[in-house]
Amino acid sequence: MMGLFGKKKTEPCPVCGREMDSGILSNSKAVADGIICHDCELMLRGKFDVETIVEFGFFDINDVKEKRHDPLRYMTVGQIKSLIEKLRETQAKAVADFGGTYRSFLTADEVFMITPKATEVGLKRAKEMKNKLVVRGLVQSGSFCKGDAAVIVHDGNEIPVTVLDVIPCEGVVDFKTSLQSNMHKKEAAADTNAWLILDVSSGVKDGDLIAIR
Ligand SMILES: [Zn+2]
């Protein structure tokens, strides 16, 4: 008997080809001219924020500021496909270079320092995160969890570091909002973007690896 418990309707993601549910509860993502799967969406979250998408010339900054829309909604399947292909090439090279040494690693795309206010994150977290570096990047391999002992790989040297928190880049929520709500998962797996809060005030540059042996 089919009926309610019949086979779910699926269709392939136009970017990666994986089957995705097309039902109402599916978390696939509508873009300008199609629907992509959640995995492909997560490859782009954080990295391709509004400013980056505007740099690519996909749409005008004034449209975005007024509408506050999700940039992914303006990108075509073709544009997303070429971006993800580039990311996959970089990832394959990083895995070939470092996969034998580290079980988990992330390449730093962006590094910035934070000093959150006690009124925003509570006294304890404000103290813990004062003048700490945040590294955003794609988890190329393995996974990162809050509290992990990792290393910064900089010019071939390893500097030990503790991961104070992990904030996965999901949806259109920015770093500050995620940090304040503190409702995020405290881990991030391969093929997703994340912000890692590290217990250092310096020593990380764009392109460095954060890695776990
Ligand atoms: Zn996909």
Side-chain angles (χ1 to χ4, degrees):
M1 202 180 113
M2 293 291 283
L4 271 179
F5 303 100
K7 197 170 174 290
K8 260 195 236 166
K9 206 178 154 198
T10 62
E11 54 184 291
C13 168
V15 176
C16 69
R18 273 179 287 228
E19 292 291 317
M20 54 181 184
D21 295 340
S22 56
I24 198 158
L25 295 176
S26 146
N27 54 6
S28 53
K29 175 78 196 162
V31 299
D33 59 351
I35 293 172
I36 64 169
C37 76
H38 190 54
D39 292 342
C40 286
E41 180 190 354
L42 289 178
M43 284 285 287
L44 301 174
R45 286 300 180 200
K47 184 173 179 64
F48 296 98
D49 55 11
V50 170
E51 283 73 20
T52 314
I53 302 297
V54 170
E55 269 173 42
F56 275 97
F58 292 159
F59 54 85
D60 189 73
I61 186 73
N62 293 316
D63 293 342
V64 190
K65 275 182 179 160
E66 277 172 27
K67 293 173 186 165
R68 295 191 160 272
H69 277 168
D70 178 358
L72 273 186
R73 281 183 50 186
Y74 293 83
M75 295 172 68
T76 65
V77 167
Q79 286 165 335
I80 290 168
K81 213 170 171 174
S82 76
L83 288 174
I84 288 186
E85 271 167 22
K86 283 192 196 111
L87 289 175
R88 288 287 184 199
E89 274 172 33
T90 311
Q91 182 182 34
K93 193 180 178 303
V95 169
D97 290 348
F98 302 106
T101 311
Y102 303 109
R103 69 177 164 88
S104 299
F105 60 94
L106 168 151
T107 313
D109 280 334
E110 186 189 12
V111 182
F112 55 93
M113 186 183 278
I114 53 165
T115 302
K117 294 190 181 97
T119 49
E120 294 169 347
V121 298
L123 192 58
K124 185 169 171 276
R125 292 176 82 219
K127 270 187 185 170
E128 186 186 40
M129 293 174 185
K130 190 183 177 187
N131 297 334
K132 296 298 187 289
L133 289 188
V134 179
V135 174
R136 182 187 50 73
L138 184 68
V139 180
Q140 307 280 15
S141 177
S143 64
F144 285 86
C145 292
K146 180 183 164 118
D148 275 345
V151 291
I152 302 161
V153 186
H154 180 72
D155 291 339
N157 298 313
E158 289 185 353
I159 305 152
V161 74
T162 300
V163 180
L164 295 176
D165 203 357
V166 175
I167 304 179
C169 304
E170 289 178 323
V172 288
V173 180
D174 63 14
F175 172 80
K176 208 178 164 191
T177 311
S178 302
L179 180 72
Q180 288 181 21
S181 79
N182 200 28
M183 296 289 283
H184 52 272
K185 278 183 283 181
K186 316 288 182 190
E187 57 181 326
D191 298 348
T192 65
N193 288 279
W195 291 286
L196 306 184
I197 306 177
L198 306 177
D199 70 337
V200 291
S201 301
S202 62
V204 193
K205 291 200 165 57
D206 289 2
D208 286 352
L209 288 193
I210 310 300
I212 303 172
R213 278 190 184 273

